[in-house]
Structure formats: C-alpha cells, structure tokens
C-alpha cells in the first residue's frame, strides 16, 4: 500500500492458515490509515487447498480457482467497496479461419491511465465451457477498481496443448454502456505469422464506426493457364478512405479457384469508405498452392440491405475493378503469395489516383556474437495513407540473409 502523505511504501507478506476478519496496521504505536490494501499472495501448489479469500465477497486468490487472480484490492471502507469498483464486460471473438481456435490457457492484462488489472487467466466464460473456438464469441466479466481511460490490452496464451495456435479477431470491452474495441486480426501462434503468442492491442478511436458492416460481392477470376488453380486458403482485405477492413477468408463450400473459373462470394465487413486498394493472398499450404489470378471485381452496396429489401438495387451498386494477371506462388514470378491491387474503373483508370511505389528496404544485422538468424523476417511499413501489411523479406543481394 502507499501512503501519499508520508511517501510510505509498505509490503505485506501474509501466510493465511485461518480466516482473516480484520487487519490493523500499527507503526510507531499509531494506527496508519490506508485508503486501500492490496494483498499479493505467493504460494506453492501445496497451499492451494487452503481457502485463501478476502473481503466480504469471499473471492479466491488461487491460480486454479475463480478467475485465477493472485491479486485482489480491498478497500478500508468495506461498505463503499462496491461503489469504488467497475464491472468490465469482456467479449473475445475468435476469427473465422481454418484452425483458428485454441486449447491453450489464455490470459490478459488491461491498462488504463489509473492503473492495470495485472495478468488474469480467462478460465470461466459465461455460458460457455469450450472456450475460444473458431468464429465464436466468449464472454467474461471482471470487477476491478476503475482503471480510468483504457489505453491498451495485453493478451496471450501459454502455448500449451497440440492445438495452441489461435487467430484472434478482436476484443470488445463494455464499461457502463460504453464500448471499447481492440482489433487484432492476427495469429497468436508459434507456427503462424511472426511466431508471437502474445499481442498488445489498442482501442479504435470510433467504436460505432468500426461496428458498421456493409455488404460486398466479390468476383474472382482464376487465369486459364496450366496449373493456375490453387487449393490454398485465399483471403482478401479492403483499404479505403475510412481505413482498412478485416481480413476475410473466402470459402463458399465449393471447389474454389480452379483454372479458368469465376468464383463469387458475398461478404459483410466494415465500411472502409471509398475503396482504393485490395490486398489478396493465400496461406501457401497444400501440394498445389501456387495461384495465377487474372482479376477481381468488387461490388459495394451503397444502400444497406434489410431482410425486407435483400435484393441489390443496380442504381445503388458501386463497382471496383482490380487487375492482377500474376502468380501468387513461391515457385513462380517473384515468389510472393500476397498482392496489392489498385482499384480502377472499367477502363483501367485508377479511381483515387493511387500509384504503386517500390520501396527498397535495407536491414543491417549487428556485429555481435550470435547476431544472425535463419528465421523468416517480416516487416510492416505504416504511413498516413495506410500500411503495407505484413511482408516477408525473401529476396536480397546476399544469398545468405541476416548474417552477422
């Protein structure tokens, strides 16, 4: 606890072998008033069978009970304790991509301008026993002292179990009717993306705008070339004047992306405003993952569809054309499996006067022992008009890259 008036910092180490009903702290013969008491319990597994709990609510301090917290805050004025706490309603959405779910133990730490929750294991979801499954939302409730304005969220898992990889879409936190959205749209997996199993997320500025979904229709033409089709998982992501949309996995349950074939998908995703580019790619998995993409046509409904008006009005449809005519294959062309395509009109003229720029990236590996790596290296370049997305640094002037 901290006494701001005297600049005092006091650490309590308590072994609880019986129920504790009152705490009085004496110093130099006088009672020291503490506005609140924070007790941190450290114990070996042999102690977990003893009921360690605090306050009139009788909450566990045990990593295998309740919410797994080993830290609780107790207010000196117990009658006012309920008024000093805030209920955080947490909804965690697992993405809709193959093998997105996880069986690992998930934890998080929420930070505000008045403090943080400490690391908390997400053990018991509301109305859900099997947590963090593909394309599902798991809900949790957390009661803590007011953290103030939310700044960031640290979330991760312990990597345990054979199916520990997790594709996290987003985390929503509701406080007294106000919604904070923390987008992720990344893997927390040792075998996907950058191999990280922990992410730091930041809230979007306009949660209401983030939640608005609009319908799109996507037509994709695979080229009529030998071995042009792919069995890999294909995704798209839209960029527009109002930001970028989520990564959308394209699968309509048929045999997609075959040679000379046109595939049509209807999706709903965030309204990105005037579309100026599209990112398309695949995960490179499967024996025949290489893909030659001819072009993509995107249809955006400018008028929201409803169950009573589910048909697309031609006068309210905006069309965007994306020409590719290139391989997305590690063994063809430049070896890239992700392409960025500029939105054009039907005559091939860019809609938003966006041009493609080639960036030259120089990476200097330090001159210290063990500095080099054989790992795959990725970068993302951010600018005031968007970002490049995750790009692998594959080709270099040096045959053996990233050496000391």
């Amino acid at each position: 606890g901290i006494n701001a008036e005297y600049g005092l910092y006091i650490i309590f180490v308590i072994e609880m072998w019986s129920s504790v009903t009152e705490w009085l702290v004496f110093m130099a013969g006088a009672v020291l008033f503490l506005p609140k008491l924070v007790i941190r319990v450290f114990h070996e597994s042999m102690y977990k069978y003893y009921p360690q709990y605090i306050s009139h609510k009788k909450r566990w301090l045990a990593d295998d009970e309740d919410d797994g917290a080993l830290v609780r805050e107790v207010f000196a004025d117990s009658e006012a304790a309920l008024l000093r706490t805030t209920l955080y309603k947490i909804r965690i959405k697992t993405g809709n991509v193959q093998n997105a779910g996880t069986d690992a133990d998930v934890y998080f730490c929420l930070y505000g301008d008045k403090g943080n929750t400490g690391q908390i294991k997400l053990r018991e979801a509301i109305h859900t026993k099997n947590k963090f499954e593909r394309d599902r939302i798991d809900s949790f409730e957390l009661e803590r002292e007011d953290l103030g304005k939310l700044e960031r969220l640290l979330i991760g898992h312990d990597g345990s179990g054979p199916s520990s990889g997790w594709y996290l879409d987003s985390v929503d936190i509701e406080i007294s009717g106000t919604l904070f959205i923390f987008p992720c749209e990344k893997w927390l997996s040792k075998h996907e993306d950058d191999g990280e199993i922990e992410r730091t997320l930041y809230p979007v500025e306009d949660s209401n705008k983030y939640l608005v979904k609009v319908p799109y229709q996507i037509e994709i033409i695979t080229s009529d070339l030998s071995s042009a089709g792919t069995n890999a998982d294909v995704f798209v992501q839209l960029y527009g004047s109002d930001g970028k949309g989520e990564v959308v996995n394209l699968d309509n349950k048929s045999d997609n992306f075959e040679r000379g074939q046109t595939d049509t998908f209807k999706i709903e995703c965030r309204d990105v405003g005037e579309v100026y580019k599209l990112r398309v790619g695949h995960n490179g998995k499967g024996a025949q993952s290489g893909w030659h993409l001819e072009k993509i046509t995107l249809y955006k409904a400018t008028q929201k569809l409803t169950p009573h008006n589910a048909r697309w009005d031609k006068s309210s449809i905006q069309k965007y054309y994306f020409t590719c005519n290139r391989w997305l294959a590690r063994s063809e062309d430049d070896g890239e499996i992700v392409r960025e395509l500029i939105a054009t009109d039907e005559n091939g003229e860019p809609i938003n006067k966006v041009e493609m720029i080639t960036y030259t990236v120089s990476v200097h590996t330090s001159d210290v022992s063990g500095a080099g790596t054989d790992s795959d290296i990725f970068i993302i370049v951010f600018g005031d008009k968007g970002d490049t997305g995750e790009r692998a640094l594959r080709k270099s002037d040096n045959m053996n890259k990233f050496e000391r």
Side-chain angles (χ1 to χ4, degrees):
I2 298 178
N3 186 305
E5 183 177 356
Y6 296 100
L8 233 36
Y9 185 76
I10 303 171
I11 301 176
F12 297 89
V13 179
I14 302 175
E15 274 193 341
M16 294 192 292
W17 295 95
S18 62
S19 177
V20 179
T21 58
E22 293 182 342
W23 289 290
L24 290 178
V25 181
F26 293 90
M27 184 174 181
V31 177
L32 175 66
F33 172 75
L34 297 176
K36 69 178 180 181
L37 177 65
V38 179
I39 301 176
R40 187 182 300 272
V41 177
F42 301 89
H43 59 79
E44 302 295 335
S45 59
M46 63 176 289
Y47 295 134
K48 72 179 181 179
Y49 302 105
Y50 290 88
Q52 300 172 346
Y53 53 77
I54 61 176
S55 85
H56 64 285
K57 284 194 172 184
K58 295 186 178 181
R59 298 291 299 275
W60 280 95
L61 282 79
D63 61 4
D64 58 352
E65 298 286 352
D66 205 333
D67 60 4
L70 296 180
V71 179
R72 301 281 182 202
E73 293 185 350
V74 184
F75 296 93
D77 182 7
S78 60
E79 293 182 357
L82 187 60
L83 299 177
R84 300 189 189 185
T85 59
T86 298
L87 180 64
Y88 295 86
K89 296 182 179 180
I90 302 165
R91 294 185 291 271
I92 299 179
K93 183 179 180 181
T94 300
N96 186 20
V97 299
Q98 190 175 10
N99 300 320
T102 184
D103 295 324
D105 292 328
V106 175
Y107 61 86
F108 82 99
C109 180
L110 184 61
Y111 294 83
D113 59 5
K114 293 182 180 179
N116 65 79
T117 61
Q119 183 172 303
I120 296 174
K121 294 180 180 179
L122 295 171
R123 296 187 177 279
E124 299 293 333
I126 300 175
H127 308 307
T128 305
K129 185 174 182 180
N130 193 12
K131 307 181 297 294
F132 312 120
E133 293 299 307
R134 174 177 176 175
D135 195 27
R136 202 172 67 190
I137 297 175
D138 295 288
S139 299
F140 305 83
E141 288 188 351
L142 176 69
E143 192 174 326
R144 284 291 188 276
E145 185 184 6
D146 182 20
L147 299 175
K149 183 181 179 181
L150 298 188
E151 296 178 340
R152 67 185 187 277
L153 171 70
L154 178 72
I155 188 166
H157 62 77
D158 62 0
S160 62
S163 302
S164 63
W166 184 33
Y167 189 88
L168 174 61
D169 184 90
S170 62
V171 179
D172 299 350
I173 299 179
E174 183 181 340
I175 310 170
S176 302
T178 301
L179 184 65
F180 298 85
I181 300 177
F182 298 78
C184 180
E185 296 166 8
K186 278 184 171 291
W187 282 98
L188 285 76
S189 171
K190 295 177 182 178
H191 308 293
E192 301 282 354
D193 278 356
D194 55 6
E196 295 295 325
I197 59 174
E198 185 177 85
R199 301 282 182 193
T200 299
L201 311 180
Y202 298 90
V204 296
E205 294 182 0
D206 189 343
S207 297
N208 291 327
K209 197 172 189 179
Y210 184 88
L211 289 173
V212 174
K213 303 283 187 178
V214 297
Y216 296 89
Q217 182 169 297
I218 301 176
E219 289 182 359
I220 298 181
I221 300 179
T222 299
S223 302
D224 190 12
L225 300 175
S226 177
S227 303
T230 183
N231 294 321
D233 296 326
V234 174
F235 64 86
V236 295
Q237 186 175 24
L238 302 178
Y239 285 73
S241 56
D242 293 336
K244 65 179 179 179
E246 58 267 48
V247 175
V248 179
N249 220 41
L250 298 178
D251 185 4
N252 60 14
K253 308 302 181 183
S254 62
D255 197 4
N256 307 130
F257 314 117
E258 293 299 309
R259 172 180 175 176
Q261 181 172 293
T262 299
D263 295 289
T264 302
F265 305 88
K266 291 183 178 179
I267 64 172
E268 277 198 354
C269 64
R270 288 192 292 275
D271 187 0
V272 298
E274 184 73 26
V275 179
Y276 66 83
K277 76 174 180 180
L278 176 147
R279 180 175 296 137
V280 59
H282 61 77
N283 61 359
K285 293 185 176 180
Q288 297 178 335
S289 63
W291 182 37
H292 197 282
L293 170 62
E294 183 176 325
K295 66 179 180 180
I296 296 175
T297 304
L298 175 71
Y299 302 85
K300 177 184 177 182
T302 56
Q303 185 180 41
K304 185 169 179 59
L305 304 182
T306 67
H308 301 290
N309 181 28
R311 303 186 70 176
W312 290 54
D313 182 1
K314 292 183 178 181
S315 63
S316 65
I317 295 177
Q318 200 164 358
K319 292 183 181 181
Y320 301 89
Y321 300 88
F322 304 87
T323 302
C324 183
N325 285 324
R326 295 189 68 177
W327 282 99
L328 287 78
R330 292 199 174 106
S331 59
E332 301 283 353
D333 206 332
D334 57 2
E336 294 294 329
I337 59 174
V338 177
R339 300 283 180 200
E340 285 199 348
L341 309 178
I342 299 299
T344 70
D345 59 22
E346 58 185 345
N347 298 317
E349 294 296 324
I351 293 177
N352 290 285
K353 297 183 179 180
V354 177
E355 60 177 334
M356 299 296 288
I357 296 177
T358 300
Y359 293 87
T360 301
V361 180
S362 298
V363 179
H364 182 77
T365 302
S366 302
D367 188 14
V368 297
S369 178
T373 182
D374 294 324
S375 299
D376 294 330
I377 306 298
F378 301 85
I379 65 166
I380 303 177
V381 181
F382 295 87
D384 59 5
K385 294 182 179 179
D387 63 78
T388 63
E390 189 176 272
R391 298 301 185 95
L393 298 179
R394 300 186 187 280
K395 291 191 174 182
S396 169
D397 294 337
N398 300 318
M399 182 175 294
N400 196 9
K401 307 183 294 294
F402 310 117
E403 292 300 306
R404 172 178 175 179

